[in-house]
Amino acid sequence: MNDLETRAPAARPGALRRAAPALLGYAAVRALGLVVLALWSEARGKSAYTLLTARWDSLWYTRVAELGYGYEVRLPNGDVHSNLAFFPLLPWLERLAAAVSPLSYADGGFVVSLLASLAAAWGIFAVADRLYGRRAGVCAVLLWAVLPVGIVQSMAYSESLFTALAAWALYAVLTGRWVTAGLLAGLAGLTRPVGLAVVAAVWAAGVAAFLRERSGSSFVGDGSAVPAGGARDGGHAGPPSGAPRTGAPDGAPPSPHAPGVRLRRVVGMLLAPLGAAGYVLWVGDRTGGGLLGYLDVQAGWRNGFDGGYAFALFVAGRFTSFPSALAGVALVVGVALVVWLYVLCVRRGQPLPLLVYAGTVTALALCASSYFGSKPRLLMPAFPLLLPLAVALARARTRLLAAGLGAVAAGSAAYGAFWLNGSGPP
């Protein structure tokens, strides 16, 4: 028995082999989505590759990669769409790919997203496997793959890159690798505004660890030991059904006497906000808006945080006629499902950093004041919400599970093709 925060042991041998079923299943789902998109787009006389790499946000990212910041579009209503709204890590990687290969910036964005989506799948598996076991890890990855908006994971967007960084940062926190967690959180903060959620998770876990040390509480285990609840019904050792295999509220049990632990934790916490803070301060200096400069840029896109008021008005507006009322019902059900899943995560004792991360991502997505059609995409990085479902599915028989997820994957592929071939941005 040992304390997790003394520094997590090296990764288990064969980690890639252990994750292989999840990664292969994920690749199969994404391949199905791309094939269906290609066939659907061909039938409509469109290019699937253009839809994936050269429309909507992907155009803004490639323009940043090619020309840098400073481009803006002034609309007739007075709105100013500035490319300063787009965080720089993905454009930097697109520029790097174009510099070291014959790929264009758009090609580079597509390759980065494909690789990042696999890294995200592996990170999701690592978190779920550590907390609930290998089978639940596979189910969590497949659930993330078959989300209705899963096609975005293959687009030259920043969602896959952000989710990869967030998942591995959370895994680093769960395994006591504080400096790694801080570095990954910093990179996540250079990827999307919601990088704040990763920073909040690292800080919540760190503060909780300091508070436990001051209170003198202790926990013995390695993060996969039997929790305080004891044996399962029937006398079998192991955590209760659906409970994480960790006894600490933040996933990293305290070890106040371990040399260097506090220092590494402090360093990780200090590193975590540097990416987001650095970019926001740079934008403020460039625009002359100071600390609020980035908010001014977002306001030019009519985007902000209003506690969900504008979204509530948007949903209410769907009930003024038929059949738009059906869309209103779907939106209400969707929001209720998201809230229910989060409540379930809390009730099942999910580790604190996951709860903070998922809660922050969800709040920022649902309470943003614009781009209502993009909210499902903005919720996609909140993968901890899927863990209770993954645990439940892990108990199902393999044939039934494969058939059910296969059918959902087919539906997700068809919806993704329909969605990208539609008129609006995802």
Side-chain angles (χ1 to χ4, degrees), residues 198-225:
V198 190
V199 177
V202 173
W203 271 75
V207 170
F210 281 119
L211 292 176
R212 285 200 314 275
E213 289 177 2
R214 290 195 62 180
S215 67
S217 62
S218 63
F219 176 85
V220 178
D222 64 356
S224 60

PDB file of all heavy atoms in Angstrom, residues 198-225:
ATOM      1  N   VAL A 198     -10.209  23.230 -17.206  1.00  0.00           N
ATOM      2  CA  VAL A 198      -9.083  22.377 -16.825  1.00  0.00           C
ATOM      3  C   VAL A 198      -8.291  23.041 -15.706  1.00  0.00           C
ATOM      4  O   VAL A 198      -7.861  22.385 -14.754  1.00  0.00           O
ATOM      5  CB  VAL A 198      -8.183  22.088 -18.039  1.00  0.00           C
ATOM      6  CG1 VAL A 198      -7.160  21.007 -17.695  1.00  0.00           C
ATOM      7  CG2 VAL A 198      -9.007  21.657 -19.246  1.00  0.00           C
ATOM      8  N   VAL A 199      -8.088  24.355 -15.827  1.00  0.00           N
ATOM      9  CA  VAL A 199      -7.396  25.092 -14.773  1.00  0.00           C
ATOM     10  C   VAL A 199      -8.164  24.956 -13.454  1.00  0.00           C
ATOM     11  O   VAL A 199      -7.571  24.691 -12.398  1.00  0.00           O
ATOM     12  CB  VAL A 199      -7.257  26.575 -15.155  1.00  0.00           C
ATOM     13  CG1 VAL A 199      -6.612  27.361 -14.024  1.00  0.00           C
ATOM     14  CG2 VAL A 199      -6.440  26.724 -16.434  1.00  0.00           C
ATOM     15  N   ALA A 200      -9.477  25.106 -13.504  1.00  0.00           N
ATOM     16  CA  ALA A 200     -10.303  25.000 -12.298  1.00  0.00           C
ATOM     17  C   ALA A 200     -10.186  23.611 -11.686  1.00  0.00           C
ATOM     18  O   ALA A 200     -10.143  23.470 -10.454  1.00  0.00           O
ATOM     19  CB  ALA A 200     -11.758  25.316 -12.632  1.00  0.00           C
ATOM     20  N   ALA A 201     -10.130  22.572 -12.519  1.00  0.00           N
ATOM     21  CA  ALA A 201     -10.016  21.209 -12.011  1.00  0.00           C
ATOM     22  C   ALA A 201      -8.694  21.000 -11.289  1.00  0.00           C
ATOM     23  O   ALA A 201      -8.642  20.399 -10.205  1.00  0.00           O
ATOM     24  CB  ALA A 201     -10.161  20.214 -13.163  1.00  0.00           C
ATOM     25  N   VAL A 202      -7.608  21.474 -11.885  1.00  0.00           N
ATOM     26  CA  VAL A 202      -6.293  21.332 -11.251  1.00  0.00           C
ATOM     27  C   VAL A 202      -6.257  22.090  -9.927  1.00  0.00           C
ATOM     28  O   VAL A 202      -5.781  21.577  -8.906  1.00  0.00           O
ATOM     29  CB  VAL A 202      -5.183  21.828 -12.202  1.00  0.00           C
ATOM     30  CG1 VAL A 202      -3.829  21.834 -11.482  1.00  0.00           C
ATOM     31  CG2 VAL A 202      -5.105  20.943 -13.437  1.00  0.00           C
ATOM     32  N   TRP A 203      -6.771  23.310  -9.919  1.00  0.00           N
ATOM     33  CA  TRP A 203      -6.750  24.101  -8.699  1.00  0.00           C
ATOM     34  C   TRP A 203      -7.662  23.508  -7.619  1.00  0.00           C
ATOM     35  O   TRP A 203      -7.311  23.516  -6.439  1.00  0.00           O
ATOM     36  CB  TRP A 203      -7.154  25.545  -9.011  1.00  0.00           C
ATOM     37  CG  TRP A 203      -5.950  26.369  -9.372  1.00  0.00           C
ATOM     38  CD1 TRP A 203      -5.262  26.337 -10.541  1.00  0.00           C
ATOM     39  CD2 TRP A 203      -5.292  27.311  -8.540  1.00  0.00           C
ATOM     40  NE1 TRP A 203      -4.210  27.209 -10.505  1.00  0.00           N
ATOM     41  CE2 TRP A 203      -4.204  27.826  -9.302  1.00  0.00           C
ATOM     42  CE3 TRP A 203      -5.508  27.785  -7.257  1.00  0.00           C
ATOM     43  CZ2 TRP A 203      -3.328  28.782  -8.783  1.00  0.00           C
ATOM     44  CZ3 TRP A 203      -4.645  28.751  -6.742  1.00  0.00           C
ATOM     45  CH2 TRP A 203      -3.574  29.228  -7.505  1.00  0.00           C
ATOM     46  N   ALA A 204      -8.818  23.009  -8.014  1.00  0.00           N
ATOM     47  CA  ALA A 204      -9.722  22.401  -7.027  1.00  0.00           C
ATOM     48  C   ALA A 204      -9.073  21.195  -6.373  1.00  0.00           C
ATOM     49  O   ALA A 204      -9.148  21.014  -5.147  1.00  0.00           O
ATOM     50  CB  ALA A 204     -11.036  22.002  -7.707  1.00  0.00           C
ATOM     51  N   ALA A 205      -8.428  20.360  -7.185  1.00  0.00           N
ATOM     52  CA  ALA A 205      -7.755  19.190  -6.633  1.00  0.00           C
ATOM     53  C   ALA A 205      -6.599  19.603  -5.729  1.00  0.00           C
ATOM     54  O   ALA A 205      -6.393  19.018  -4.657  1.00  0.00           O
ATOM     55  CB  ALA A 205      -7.251  18.307  -7.771  1.00  0.00           C
ATOM     56  N   GLY A 206      -5.837  20.613  -6.164  1.00  0.00           N
ATOM     57  CA  GLY A 206      -4.711  21.060  -5.357  1.00  0.00           C
ATOM     58  C   GLY A 206      -5.140  21.657  -4.031  1.00  0.00           C
ATOM     59  O   GLY A 206      -4.580  21.337  -2.975  1.00  0.00           O
ATOM     60  N   VAL A 207      -6.143  22.520  -4.062  1.00  0.00           N
ATOM     61  CA  VAL A 207      -6.637  23.137  -2.828  1.00  0.00           C
ATOM     62  C   VAL A 207      -7.204  22.072  -1.897  1.00  0.00           C
ATOM     63  O   VAL A 207      -6.979  22.104  -0.676  1.00  0.00           O
ATOM     64  CB  VAL A 207      -7.697  24.203  -3.155  1.00  0.00           C
ATOM     65  CG1 VAL A 207      -8.402  24.671  -1.885  1.00  0.00           C
ATOM     66  CG2 VAL A 207      -7.052  25.382  -3.871  1.00  0.00           C
ATOM     67  N   ALA A 208      -7.946  21.097  -2.461  1.00  0.00           N
ATOM     68  CA  ALA A 208      -8.503  20.027  -1.636  1.00  0.00           C
ATOM     69  C   ALA A 208      -7.396  19.225  -0.962  1.00  0.00           C
ATOM     70  O   ALA A 208      -7.513  18.843   0.206  1.00  0.00           O
ATOM     71  CB  ALA A 208      -9.375  19.112  -2.494  1.00  0.00           C
ATOM     72  N   ALA A 209      -6.301  18.997  -1.678  1.00  0.00           N
ATOM     73  CA  ALA A 209      -5.179  18.259  -1.096  1.00  0.00           C
ATOM     74  C   ALA A 209      -4.548  19.039   0.052  1.00  0.00           C
ATOM     75  O   ALA A 209      -4.228  18.478   1.111  1.00  0.00           O
ATOM     76  CB  ALA A 209      -4.138  17.963  -2.179  1.00  0.00           C
ATOM     77  N   PHE A 210      -4.369  20.352  -0.123  1.00  0.00           N
ATOM     78  CA  PHE A 210      -3.809  21.171   0.947  1.00  0.00           C
ATOM     79  C   PHE A 210      -4.730  21.183   2.172  1.00  0.00           C
ATOM     80  O   PHE A 210      -4.271  21.104   3.326  1.00  0.00           O
ATOM     81  CB  PHE A 210      -3.587  22.602   0.456  1.00  0.00           C
ATOM     82  CG  PHE A 210      -2.347  22.778  -0.372  1.00  0.00           C
ATOM     83  CD1 PHE A 210      -2.429  23.219  -1.679  1.00  0.00           C
ATOM     84  CD2 PHE A 210      -1.098  22.493   0.154  1.00  0.00           C
ATOM     85  CE1 PHE A 210      -1.289  23.385  -2.451  1.00  0.00           C
ATOM     86  CE2 PHE A 210       0.053  22.655  -0.604  1.00  0.00           C
ATOM     87  CZ  PHE A 210      -0.044  23.097  -1.917  1.00  0.00           C
ATOM     88  N   LEU A 211      -6.036  21.282   1.934  1.00  0.00           N
ATOM     89  CA  LEU A 211      -6.981  21.302   3.042  1.00  0.00           C
ATOM     90  C   LEU A 211      -6.976  19.987   3.805  1.00  0.00           C
ATOM     91  O   LEU A 211      -7.074  19.969   5.043  1.00  0.00           O
ATOM     92  CB  LEU A 211      -8.391  21.612   2.523  1.00  0.00           C
ATOM     93  CG  LEU A 211      -8.614  23.028   1.986  1.00  0.00           C
ATOM     94  CD1 LEU A 211     -10.017  23.168   1.422  1.00  0.00           C
ATOM     95  CD2 LEU A 211      -8.371  24.067   3.090  1.00  0.00           C
ATOM     96  N   ARG A 212      -6.839  18.873   3.087  1.00  0.00           N
ATOM     97  CA  ARG A 212      -6.786  17.574   3.760  1.00  0.00           C
ATOM     98  C   ARG A 212      -5.525  17.459   4.607  1.00  0.00           C
ATOM     99  O   ARG A 212      -5.540  16.891   5.694  1.00  0.00           O
ATOM    100  CB  ARG A 212      -6.833  16.440   2.735  1.00  0.00           C
ATOM    101  CG  ARG A 212      -8.204  16.204   2.140  1.00  0.00           C
ATOM    102  CD  ARG A 212      -8.292  14.801   1.546  1.00  0.00           C
ATOM    103  NE  ARG A 212      -7.112  14.507   0.748  1.00  0.00           N
ATOM    104  CZ  ARG A 212      -6.961  14.854  -0.524  1.00  0.00           C
ATOM    105  NH1 ARG A 212      -7.921  15.536  -1.122  1.00  0.00           N
ATOM    106  NH2 ARG A 212      -5.876  14.530  -1.180  1.00  0.00           N
ATOM    107  N   GLU A 213      -4.434  18.000   4.097  1.00  0.00           N
ATOM    108  CA  GLU A 213      -3.199  17.955   4.872  1.00  0.00           C
ATOM    109  C   GLU A 213      -3.342  18.750   6.165  1.00  0.00           C
ATOM    110  O   GLU A 213      -2.907  18.316   7.235  1.00  0.00           O
ATOM    111  CB  GLU A 213      -2.049  18.501   4.031  1.00  0.00           C
ATOM    112  CG  GLU A 213      -1.625  17.583   2.903  1.00  0.00           C
ATOM    113  CD  GLU A 213      -0.533  18.202   2.044  1.00  0.00           C
ATOM    114  OE1 GLU A 213      -0.101  19.324   2.376  1.00  0.00           O
ATOM    115  OE2 GLU A 213      -0.121  17.572   1.069  1.00  0.00           O
ATOM    116  N   ARG A 214      -3.945  19.923   6.074  1.00  0.00           N
ATOM    117  CA  ARG A 214      -4.109  20.773   7.259  1.00  0.00           C
ATOM    118  C   ARG A 214      -5.032  20.132   8.284  1.00  0.00           C
ATOM    119  O   ARG A 214      -4.852  20.290   9.487  1.00  0.00           O
ATOM    120  CB  ARG A 214      -4.648  22.136   6.864  1.00  0.00           C
ATOM    121  CG  ARG A 214      -3.656  22.990   6.092  1.00  0.00           C
ATOM    122  CD  ARG A 214      -4.096  24.427   6.043  1.00  0.00           C
ATOM    123  NE  ARG A 214      -4.169  24.996   7.397  1.00  0.00           N
ATOM    124  CZ  ARG A 214      -4.532  26.256   7.641  1.00  0.00           C
ATOM    125  NH1 ARG A 214      -4.861  27.071   6.657  1.00  0.00           N
ATOM    126  NH2 ARG A 214      -4.581  26.700   8.895  1.00  0.00           N
ATOM    127  N   SER A 215      -6.040  19.395   7.777  1.00  0.00           N
ATOM    128  CA  SER A 215      -6.984  18.757   8.704  1.00  0.00           C
ATOM    129  C   SER A 215      -6.423  17.474   9.287  1.00  0.00           C
ATOM    130  O   SER A 215      -7.015  16.902  10.196  1.00  0.00           O
ATOM    131  CB  SER A 215      -8.306  18.465   7.993  1.00  0.00           C
ATOM    132  OG  SER A 215      -8.123  17.460   6.997  1.00  0.00           O
ATOM    133  N   GLY A 216      -5.292  17.007   8.720  1.00  0.00           N
ATOM    134  CA  GLY A 216      -4.667  15.804   9.237  1.00  0.00           C
ATOM    135  C   GLY A 216      -5.324  14.527   8.789  1.00  0.00           C
ATOM    136  O   GLY A 216      -5.053  13.457   9.335  1.00  0.00           O
ATOM    137  N   SER A 217      -6.229  14.613   7.780  1.00  0.00           N
ATOM    138  CA  SER A 217      -6.870  13.395   7.283  1.00  0.00           C
ATOM    139  C   SER A 217      -5.867  12.579   6.521  1.00  0.00           C
ATOM    140  O   SER A 217      -4.848  13.063   6.053  1.00  0.00           O
ATOM    141  CB  SER A 217      -8.057  13.744   6.385  1.00  0.00           C
ATOM    142  OG  SER A 217      -7.614  14.460   5.259  1.00  0.00           O
ATOM    143  N   SER A 218      -6.135  11.310   6.384  1.00  0.00           N
ATOM    144  CA  SER A 218      -5.214  10.411   5.684  1.00  0.00           C
ATOM    145  C   SER A 218      -5.998   9.409   4.889  1.00  0.00           C
ATOM    146  O   SER A 218      -7.150   9.110   5.180  1.00  0.00           O
ATOM    147  CB  SER A 218      -4.302   9.691   6.670  1.00  0.00           C
ATOM    148  OG  SER A 218      -5.056   8.868   7.542  1.00  0.00           O
ATOM    149  N   PHE A 219      -5.357   8.883   3.913  1.00  0.00           N
ATOM    150  CA  PHE A 219      -5.974   7.867   3.059  1.00  0.00           C
ATOM    151  C   PHE A 219      -4.883   6.932   2.589  1.00  0.00           C
ATOM    152  O   PHE A 219      -3.819   7.375   2.182  1.00  0.00           O
ATOM    153  CB  PHE A 219      -6.655   8.496   1.848  1.00  0.00           C
ATOM    154  CG  PHE A 219      -7.215   7.484   0.881  1.00  0.00           C
ATOM    155  CD1 PHE A 219      -8.468   6.962   1.081  1.00  0.00           C
ATOM    156  CD2 PHE A 219      -6.475   7.062  -0.209  1.00  0.00           C
ATOM    157  CE1 PHE A 219      -8.988   6.039   0.200  1.00  0.00           C
ATOM    158  CE2 PHE A 219      -6.987   6.130  -1.090  1.00  0.00           C
ATOM    159  CZ  PHE A 219      -8.247   5.631  -0.884  1.00  0.00           C
ATOM    160  N   VAL A 220      -5.092   5.673   2.702  1.00  0.00           N
ATOM    161  CA  VAL A 220      -4.118   4.697   2.258  1.00  0.00           C
ATOM    162  C   VAL A 220      -4.652   4.014   1.030  1.00  0.00           C
ATOM    163  O   VAL A 220      -5.769   3.512   1.025  1.00  0.00           O
ATOM    164  CB  VAL A 220      -3.825   3.655   3.362  1.00  0.00           C
ATOM    165  CG1 VAL A 220      -2.858   2.629   2.861  1.00  0.00           C
ATOM    166  CG2 VAL A 220      -3.283   4.346   4.596  1.00  0.00           C
ATOM    167  N   GLY A 221      -3.897   4.008  -0.026  1.00  0.00           N
ATOM    168  CA  GLY A 221      -4.328   3.378  -1.253  1.00  0.00           C
ATOM    169  C   GLY A 221      -3.556   3.908  -2.415  1.00  0.00           C
ATOM    170  O   GLY A 221      -2.740   4.804  -2.285  1.00  0.00           O
ATOM    171  N   ASP A 222      -3.812   3.367  -3.590  1.00  0.00           N
ATOM    172  CA  ASP A 222      -3.080   3.805  -4.775  1.00  0.00           C
ATOM    173  C   ASP A 222      -4.007   4.311  -5.851  1.00  0.00           C
ATOM    174  O   ASP A 222      -3.637   4.412  -6.998  1.00  0.00           O
ATOM    175  CB  ASP A 222      -2.208   2.669  -5.326  1.00  0.00           C
ATOM    176  CG  ASP A 222      -3.035   1.493  -5.802  1.00  0.00           C
ATOM    177  OD1 ASP A 222      -4.264   1.520  -5.647  1.00  0.00           O
ATOM    178  OD2 ASP A 222      -2.452   0.550  -6.334  1.00  0.00           O
ATOM    179  N   GLY A 223      -5.234   4.604  -5.458  1.00  0.00           N
ATOM    180  CA  GLY A 223      -6.187   5.114  -6.430  1.00  0.00           C
ATOM    181  C   GLY A 223      -7.053   4.028  -7.023  1.00  0.00           C
ATOM    182  O   GLY A 223      -8.039   4.286  -7.660  1.00  0.00           O
ATOM    183  N   SER A 224      -6.682   2.775  -6.823  1.00  0.00           N
ATOM    184  CA  SER A 224      -7.500   1.676  -7.307  1.00  0.00           C
ATOM    185  C   SER A 224      -7.807   0.702  -6.195  1.00  0.00           C
ATOM    186  O   SER A 224      -8.266  -0.400  -6.412  1.00  0.00           O
ATOM    187  CB  SER A 224      -6.777   0.946  -8.449  1.00  0.00           C
ATOM    188  OG  SER A 224      -5.550   0.431  -7.988  1.00  0.00           O
ATOM    189  N   ALA A 225      -7.545   1.127  -4.966  1.00  0.00           N
ATOM    190  CA  ALA A 225      -7.790   0.262  -3.829  1.00  0.00           C
ATOM    191  C   ALA A 225      -9.255   0.285  -3.453  1.00  0.00           C
ATOM    192  O   ALA A 225     -10.036   1.091  -3.918  1.00  0.00           O
ATOM    193  CB  ALA A 225      -6.949   0.717  -2.641  1.00  0.00           C
TER     194      ALA A 225
END
